[in-house]
Amino acid sequence: PIPGIPQELTTVRVQDPRVQNEGSWNSYVDYKIFLHTNSKAFTAKTSCVRRRYREFVWLRRQLQKNAGLVPVPELPGKSTFFVGSTDEFIEKRRQGLQQFLEK
């Protein structure tokens, strides 16, 4: 940080997982993505959207196309086989998605 010049900060949170179409064969979980920043590069200082796992997969592919030699962070596993409760799996995935966005 340079004295007298405010430091740019961006905070992103993955929160509030919700099961959509619960009980049907096409159920999925989406997550609230909340962003807060003081960066001049962003028009809106806060934004909030809901996204599902496959949209993170799409984002990672787009980043890989344009990253050159810069490594793109990994996503949490997609495994549908999980030992433990569904709630545990959803929470572990939420944490993994949060880490992906932070990196």
Side-chain angles (χ1 to χ4, degrees):
I2 302 169
I5 297 177
Q7 190 174 1
E8 286 193 357
L9 299 171
T10 300
T11 305
V12 65
R13 294 280 175 258
V14 179
Q15 310 170 301
D16 188 25
R18 287 193 195 153
V19 178
Q20 306 294 337
N21 303 328
E22 193 164 10
S24 74
W25 64 272
N26 62 343
S27 67
Y28 63 91
V29 177
D30 65 13
Y31 302 84
K32 181 165 94 173
I33 315 302
F34 177 77
L35 179 117
H36 177 79
T37 186
N38 65 357
S39 170
K40 290 177 176 49
F42 288 82
T43 311
K45 299 308 174 198
T46 62
S47 64
C48 188
V49 295
R50 293 199 71 83
R51 294 290 182 257
R52 58 192 288 185
Y53 182 81
R54 74 179 184 191
E55 292 169 295
F56 282 87
V57 173
W58 175 88
L59 173 62
R60 187 170 188 276
R61 283 194 190 119
Q62 299 306 306
L63 292 171
Q64 283 178 308
K65 281 184 194 175
N66 299 303
L69 298 174
V70 178
V72 177
E74 292 295 322
L75 284 169
K78 185 165 171 67
S79 173
T80 51
F81 178 76
F82 180 73
V83 179
S85 75
T86 304
D87 289 346
E88 283 178 82
F89 175 77
I90 290 170
E91 175 55 19
K92 277 206 132 353
R93 179 173 274 181
R94 187 204 62 74
Q95 290 172 7
L97 295 173
Q98 167 101 27
Q99 290 167 355
F100 170 79
L101 291 179
E102 286 172 347
K103 290 177 185 171

